[in-house]
Amino acid sequence: MEGEQVSKKSAHREILKRMRALRKDTVQRVTADVKAQKKIIAALTEALRSGAKTVPEMAEATGLPAHEVLWWTASLKKYGLLAEGEKRGAYFAYRLAETGPANDSRPASQ
C-alpha cells in the first residue's frame, strides 16, 4: 500500500514537471506582460501625482501613445484608481482617486 502511494506521488511529480516544461514559454511571456503593465500603471499614476491631467497631457508626460493612455485611463477608472474631473476643452481631466487602491497601483480584485 505504501509503495503504491509513493508510485502515485512520483507519477504526479513527473506530470507536473512535464506541464511546467510545456508551459515555460507562456509563463515567461505572461510574466513579462504583467511587468510591463505594472510599469505603465506606475507611470500614469506618477504623472497624476502632480494634479489632474487630460489624456493628451498624460501621453506627453509618460511618452506613451495617446490611444494607449486612453485605454489605460478607462481601465484604471473602471477599477477605481482614477476619477474623472472637470472637462478641459474637448477632454476630461483625470486625477488619482481619493479612496480605494489608487495608492497601491494595482486593480482591486473582483
Side-chain angles (χ1 to χ4, degrees):
M1 180 89 172
E2 192 173 304
E4 188 177 309
Q5 283 187 338
V6 170
S7 178
K8 284 183 181 180
K9 283 185 179 181
S10 179
H12 183 69
R13 283 188 196 131
E14 283 301 314
I15 290 170
L16 289 175
K17 192 175 183 178
R18 279 184 267 153
M19 286 175 59
R20 278 189 213 106
L22 287 171
R23 296 178 179 172
K24 182 180 179 181
D25 293 339
T26 301
V27 170
Q28 288 176 339
R29 180 180 42 79
V30 170
T31 300
D33 289 348
V34 169
K35 186 176 180 179
Q37 290 171 358
K38 286 182 178 183
K39 189 175 180 179
I40 291 169
I41 292 169
L44 290 171
T45 55
E46 184 60 34
L48 292 172
R49 288 195 199 287
S50 62
K53 289 185 176 42
T54 63
V55 169
E57 291 169 342
M58 285 187 277
E60 186 178 324
T62 61
L64 294 168
H67 70 275
E68 282 187 34
V69 172
L70 179 61
W71 187 90
W72 280 100
T73 301
S75 299
L76 296 174
K77 182 182 170 195
K78 175 182 177 181
Y79 289 106
L81 295 169
L82 298 183
E84 195 173 88
E86 76 281 358
K87 193 166 184 182
R88 295 183 189 167
Y91 301 98
F92 283 98
Y94 294 90
R95 59 179 167 70
L96 292 174
E98 294 175 16
T99 60
N103 297 329
D104 195 31
S105 296
R106 289 178 283 170
S109 55
Q110 292 182 344

